[in-house]
Amino acid sequence: MSERLGQYREEMVNLQRELVSRVAVGPDQGGPGEEEKALFLKNLLTGWGLEVDNYPAPDPRVAEGVRPNLVAFLPGERAEKAWVLSHLDVVPPGDLSLWDSDPYTLKVEGDRLIGRGTEDDHQGIVTSLMAVKALLDLGITPSRTVGLALVADEETGSGRGLDFLLKSQPHLFSPEDLIIVPDAGSPDSTLVEVAEKSILWLRLTLLGEQCHASRPQLGKNTLRAAAHVIVALEELPREFAIKSPLFEPPESTFEPTQKEANVGNINTIPGRDVFYLDCRVLPEYDLAQVKGRVEAIGRESARKFGVELRVEVVQELKSPPATDPEAPVVRALVKAICQVYGREARPQGIGGGTVAAFFRQQHLPVAVWMTVTHTAHQPNEFCLLSNLVGDARVLAHVFLAED
Ligand SMILES: [Zn+2]
């Protein structure tokens, strides 16, 4: 099995090339959607003799009027399933001048396969498909039925992807199944993600009074007030100080991030400033409590400058219950990673925002895992061919494991 997967290197590169060339940016980000890529994959899997179902989610913004969600099965000795869920969509390439090559043409440089989507999430697609192909080519029946899910809309909320699939097809997935989501991980393969922090994104708007910079006494400078508010908010990590060894970093984080443009010239004192706070909060805390403290601390600081502060929620995602670090899917993965990579993997929590949260909300045990280069969403995104071979071997081990 492992040997066979080693022979698929060229096929893996070719599959990456086909996937990279099919632009699957969602309509929220100005793209055509995932249809072309989904059709290609459906034809490929059908050609291998697999039955492929599509559960399309309505979306009038794309030409087809629907977003594809493909599900294929390779029957095993048992009806319980081992699932691998990957996503079809990619994020836009961003500033093209930051790329050394065309983002939608695969470039091979030694072990590196460069192009938009190669890691996020073609790596999941390629490794799961190749593990299934190895079983087919060798005529091996897996112990559990293998389920491949290839979903849309992961990058922009999953409302037309996994969230839709779980709501419209609640019987597809069972708590008895092993569910693996190859969409995040670590470069040394040892991060098996089982928990997430809650996410709270806040917009902070400071309202003062604009005036000429030569007569500041006539205005209320919101940029200066914003700077003081940001410093005052450094109190937050001291107030929400619980640490959990499951997470890296182990504490809640409260980062000022985006700052909207204010005035258009140097000699104007701004009377309106907007910045954002990205809070990643341990599951132990209530998000309403965090928002309350941001308002109280921020307002006290803004008041000193005669400036008003408004705090609005942009996104609020209470972290779902964690997957049990002893769940069968975690144990199976840890064992397979040890067999293939010879390393001791560890169930851990991350800062939040993976599609696995939708499974966890339904109390379906899921582990997020792959071997990454940490170039997802970046210019010159790449994956390593050696990781494709290694991760496909890990998945194949899980498919064959008796538990
Ligand atoms: Zn992804």
Side-chain angles (χ1 to χ4, degrees):
M1 188 73 184
S2 273
E3 201 188 314
R4 174 59 66 119
L5 280 162
Q7 294 164 2
Y8 290 164
R9 282 186 176 84
E10 201 183 323
E11 203 162 344
M12 289 178 179
V13 174
N14 289 337
L15 183 49
Q16 277 280 16
R17 184 173 290 117
E18 297 286 351
L19 296 175
V20 165
S21 71
R22 289 170 170 81
V23 181
V25 173
D28 287 289
Q29 297 179 312
E34 304 84 354
E35 188 63 25
E36 196 192 345
K37 193 186 278 180
L39 195 62
F40 167 79
L41 287 166
K42 186 170 192 251
N43 288 336
L44 181 70
L45 290 170
T46 310
W48 293 355
L50 299 183
E51 199 163 304
V52 185
D53 296 317
N54 188 7
Y55 300 101
D59 190 342
R61 299 170 302 170
V62 294
E64 304 77 22
V66 287
R67 307 277 291 279
N69 292 292
L70 304 181
V71 171
F73 293 113
L74 174 64
E77 285 157 16
R78 297 160 55 191
E80 289 91 6
K81 295 176 188 72
W83 283 98
V84 182
L85 178 126
S86 313
H87 64 88
L88 298 160
D89 56 323
V90 297
V91 293
D95 184 352
L96 286 176
S97 71
L98 298 175
W99 285 78
D100 299 330
S101 58
D102 173 27
Y104 296 121
T105 305
L106 187 77
K107 185 175 153 191
V108 183
E109 227 176 59
D111 197 24
R112 287 187 181 190
L113 309 184
I114 305 158
R116 174 52 87 227
T118 47
E119 172 166 298
D120 182 17
D121 193 26
H122 299 164
Q123 180 159 333
I125 299 174
V126 171
T127 55
S128 57
L129 264 65
M130 288 296 133
V132 164
K133 184 164 191 294
L135 293 172
L136 288 166
D137 288 352
L138 295 168
I140 297 173
T141 303
S143 50
R144 288 167 178 262
T145 294
V146 175
L148 297 175
L150 302 162
V151 298
D153 197 25
E154 191 275 341
E155 300 291 359
T156 46
S158 292
R160 291 161 175 97
L162 180 59
D163 193 20
F164 170 84
L165 195 59
L166 284 166
K167 282 175 180 153
S168 63
Q169 306 295 328
H171 305 299
L172 269 181
F173 302 95
S174 146
E176 309 306 316
D177 296 346
L178 309 180
I179 306 173
I180 298 171
V181 176
D183 197 21
S186 62
D188 68 356
S189 320
T190 61
L191 171 62
V192 176
E193 186 263 312
V194 294
E196 295 181 19
K197 290 177 183 170
S198 298
I199 299 178
L200 181 64
W201 288 356
L202 298 175
R203 178 191 293 116
L204 286 85
T205 305
L206 293 122
L207 297 166
E209 243 174 273
Q210 183 174 316
C211 68
H212 196 280
S214 65
R215 286 177 295 168
Q217 73 279 13
L218 299 181
K220 288 173 184 166
N221 189 331
T222 50
L223 181 57
R224 176 176 284 119
H228 282 263
V229 168
I230 289 170
V231 172
L233 291 173
E234 287 178 356
E235 177 62 20
L236 291 168
R238 287 188 285 273
E239 290 192 13
F240 299 93
I242 295 178
K243 288 180 197 280
S244 161
L246 207 52
F247 290 95
E248 175 57 40
E251 64 276 344
S252 303
T253 57
F254 308 88
E255 289 296 308
T257 53
Q258 191 182 353
K259 164 81 182 65
E260 287 184 9
N262 52 18
V263 289
N265 49 314
I266 295 172
N267 59 358
T268 300
I269 282 177
R272 183 177 181 276
D273 268 280
V274 179
F275 72 94
Y276 295 82
L277 205 59
D278 179 323
C279 311
R280 308 288 164 135
V281 183
L282 286 184
E284 284 85 348
Y285 291 114
D286 178 25
L287 294 180
Q289 195 190 348
V290 174
K291 186 186 173 225
R293 288 306 293 152
V294 169
E295 278 170 340
I297 295 169
R299 282 194 184 133
E300 194 192 326
S301 178
R303 208 177 298 129
K304 292 175 194 154
F305 300 88
V307 163
E308 187 196 335
L309 172 69
R310 285 184 197 160
V311 180
E312 296 156 275
V313 173
V314 180
Q315 193 187 188
E316 187 172 5
L317 273 177
K318 175 69 189 147
S319 66
T323 297
D324 181 355
E326 294 295 318
V329 63
V330 178
R331 287 209 314 269
L333 258 180
V334 168
K335 190 173 168 195
I337 293 163
C338 186
Q339 285 166 326
V340 172
Y341 286 110
R343 296 191 199 106
E344 206 55 49
R346 203 163 66 87
Q348 290 172 64
I350 63 167
T354 80
V355 70
F358 294 98
F359 283 122
R360 295 200 180 106
Q361 276 155 13
Q362 308 286 328
H363 301 278
L364 293 163
V366 56
V368 180
W369 172 83
M370 68 177 177
T371 308
V372 299
T373 60
H374 285 316
T375 57
H377 295 214
Q378 291 180 27
N380 306 312
E381 175 181 355
F382 68 90
C383 75
L384 299 180
L385 181 54
S386 50
N387 289 344
L388 294 182
V389 176
D391 285 12
R393 285 177 175 152
V394 169
L395 294 177
H397 271 79
V398 172
F399 296 161
L400 293 176
E402 305 286 345
D403 54 82

